[in-house]
Amino acid sequence: MSLLNREVFWPPADELIEVAKRIRARLGEWPAAETRWRVCLTAPEAPNTGDLIVFTEGQNVDMERLAKSGAAVLEAHGSRVTLRRGDERFALEGECSDNWLAALAAFLDCHFESHDALVLALAWRAGDENKDDAWPVDFATFPRVAELPPAPESRCPPCPDRLGLYPVLPSAEWVERVLDLGVRTAQLRRKTSDAADLQREIARSVEAGRRHDAHLFINDHWREAIATGAYGVHLGQEDLQTADLNAIAKAGLRLGLSTHGYYEMLRALHFRPSYLALGAVFPTRTKVMPTKPQGLARLARYVQLLSGHVPLVAIGGIDAKAMPGVLATGIGSGAVVRAVTEAPDTAAAVSSLQQMFASQW
């Protein structure tokens, strides 16, 4: 593990580093962290971009100086822990164990983003390292995301726990073709600046969904989805700032939300979605992703934590070769793009993928 033979805490804290090493040894094999984080228990004279500086109650914080240094700042006040990293702010509330800072160092060493490592550290409980499986998987111990706007007044309708094969398609023609082949969950992701084209494509896709009694989601364009009476809408994290979630819920649309790690999953759950998309699992050429690929090991942990709480969809770079490994995590749906739209034989590709789901269940 990369915790060995380097400065993990500053000033040096022998007891903390020993606990961090003990925790890290029980977390399993994870890729080495690209950033060699140093958890600073007091502000160093010359902070740098690899420093995560922890402040507790009663300490003064020169945020302007620290922001210029590129260091991340962690403020812990009672049950509230806030991470500041550049212009980003991540606020969490929950019970902290006595060794949460040691756990934070261990999860940072597992190559998790600092805000996701913080979520795991706050979910960690003393003695977890003595369990057969030390990874935090008890949802009750996880913190909640603070400083969020109110959740929608009413919950969006539920969707099936296992949505199955979930093609994400560029046009109404593709939606019709795939639904004709027996697929019952699909998404229209129409990339156009032509409003008339967008309305036609959405209306045609929604009609195809009704004709086949399918679960047809519209990507991003929630107003048009409401106007056409779509089954559901799929939004990204950035859309949560602008979309009228109350209007979506009142219209009876299902709501799917994209997530890219633990923090975003907890944030998305606050808004009471019908499903969560977890990704990108693998590298993808179809969309510029804000985070690096999650991989199957992380996906399996996400499924272990969230199964039974909300339906889950794996997305990002999934093809026929990768699908068996994705399904082995226990997830109820796998979204595909090129595995269908670039297949030499669409019908054969859909049939093969459908059989993978059937054999898994």
Side-chain angles (χ1 to χ4, degrees):
M1 70 183 77
S2 58
L3 283 176
L4 299 175
N5 303 317
R6 71 180 182 88
E7 188 176 52
V8 178
F9 292 96
W10 189 91
D14 292 342
E15 184 177 348
L16 273 177
I17 191 61
E18 287 306 314
V19 176
K21 288 179 180 178
R22 197 161 61 241
I23 293 172
R24 178 63 186 89
R26 297 287 293 122
L27 297 180
E29 295 295 326
W30 294 90
E34 292 181 2
T35 301
R36 294 299 187 91
W37 289 100
R38 180 176 69 161
V39 180
C40 301
L41 308 178
T42 186
E45 291 185 6
N48 58 57
T49 54
D51 287 341
L52 198 164
I53 307 170
V54 180
F55 291 94
T56 55
E57 294 181 73
Q59 293 178 289
N60 294 320
V61 184
D62 186 352
M63 290 300 301
E64 184 175 349
R65 180 177 74 90
L66 295 176
K68 291 179 180 178
S69 74
V73 176
L74 196 61
E75 297 177 80
H77 300 291
S79 62
R80 173 73 64 89
V81 180
T82 304
L83 172 66
R84 302 172 192 265
R85 194 181 57 201
D87 295 331
E88 297 178 295
R89 177 185 172 93
F90 307 90
L92 293 160
E93 286 188 348
E95 178 185 346
C96 300
S97 66
D98 290 339
N99 54 11
W100 72 277
L101 280 175
L104 175 60
F107 288 114
L108 287 170
D109 193 66
C110 293
H111 196 27
F112 281 84
E113 293 285 344
S114 53
H115 52 284
D116 289 329
L118 178 59
V119 169
L120 289 165
L122 297 181
W124 181 264
R125 292 293 177 266
D128 279 358
E129 68 269 24
N130 298 320
K131 297 179 179 177
D132 291 338
D133 182 2
W135 199 265
V137 292
D138 181 358
F139 194 80
T141 70
F142 275 69
R144 71 174 187 86
V145 177
E147 301 177 2
L148 291 176
E153 295 171 4
S154 57
R155 185 184 295 273
C156 287
C159 60
D161 189 54
R162 293 184 174 274
L163 285 165
L165 179 64
Y166 187 167
V168 179
L169 304 163
S171 68
E173 180 182 358
W174 266 108
V175 170
E176 291 169 343
R177 186 186 309 177
V178 167
L179 296 187
D180 283 344
L181 292 171
V183 172
R184 288 296 171 264
T185 303
Q187 179 185 136
L188 175 68
R189 183 193 285 168
R190 185 67 172 175
K191 298 180 181 180
T192 179
S193 58
D194 184 332
D197 171 82
L198 181 65
Q199 290 172 359
R200 284 193 302 269
E201 290 288 306
I202 291 177
R204 183 175 164 185
S205 298
V206 170
E207 176 55 33
R210 287 199 192 99
R211 194 162 59 246
H212 289 279
D213 193 24
H215 313 118
L216 193 282
F217 292 86
I218 304 301
N219 183 269
D220 286 351
H221 301 287
W222 58 272
R223 293 182 182 86
E224 291 81 0
I226 290 174
T228 55
Y231 177 84
V233 63
H234 181 94
L235 301 178
Q237 288 280 316
E238 65 283 358
D239 299 313
L240 292 173
Q241 308 297 328
T242 56
D244 188 338
L245 301 185
N246 277 310
I248 293 170
K250 288 177 181 177
L253 272 66
R254 283 79 179 167
L255 173 64
L257 294 178
S258 293
T259 66
H260 311 91
Y262 281 105
Y263 181 89
E264 289 190 1
M265 284 187 275
L266 296 180
R267 181 174 184 258
L269 287 174
H270 168 80
F271 297 102
R272 306 162 78 179
S274 305
Y275 75 77
L276 290 186
L278 311 176
V281 182
F282 305 109
T284 175
R285 292 191 281 111
T286 62
K287 189 176 182 181
V288 177
M289 300 305 301
T291 57
K292 294 182 179 180
Q294 301 289 311
L296 289 176
R298 292 193 190 196
L299 179 63
R301 288 302 188 182
Y302 300 157
V303 173
Q304 192 176 9
L305 175 66
L306 295 176
S307 286
H309 293 278
V310 63
L312 302 172
V313 177
I315 190 169
I318 301 172
D319 58 17
K321 184 178 180 180
M323 186 64 82
V326 170
L327 293 178
T329 67
I331 201 155
S333 180
V336 298
V337 182
R338 292 181 292 110
V340 168
T341 60
E342 296 184 10
D345 184 333
T346 303
V350 167
S351 176
S352 176
L353 289 164
Q354 292 278 53
Q355 289 174 18
M356 293 180 194
F357 281 87
S359 64
Q360 195 71 22
W361 302 342

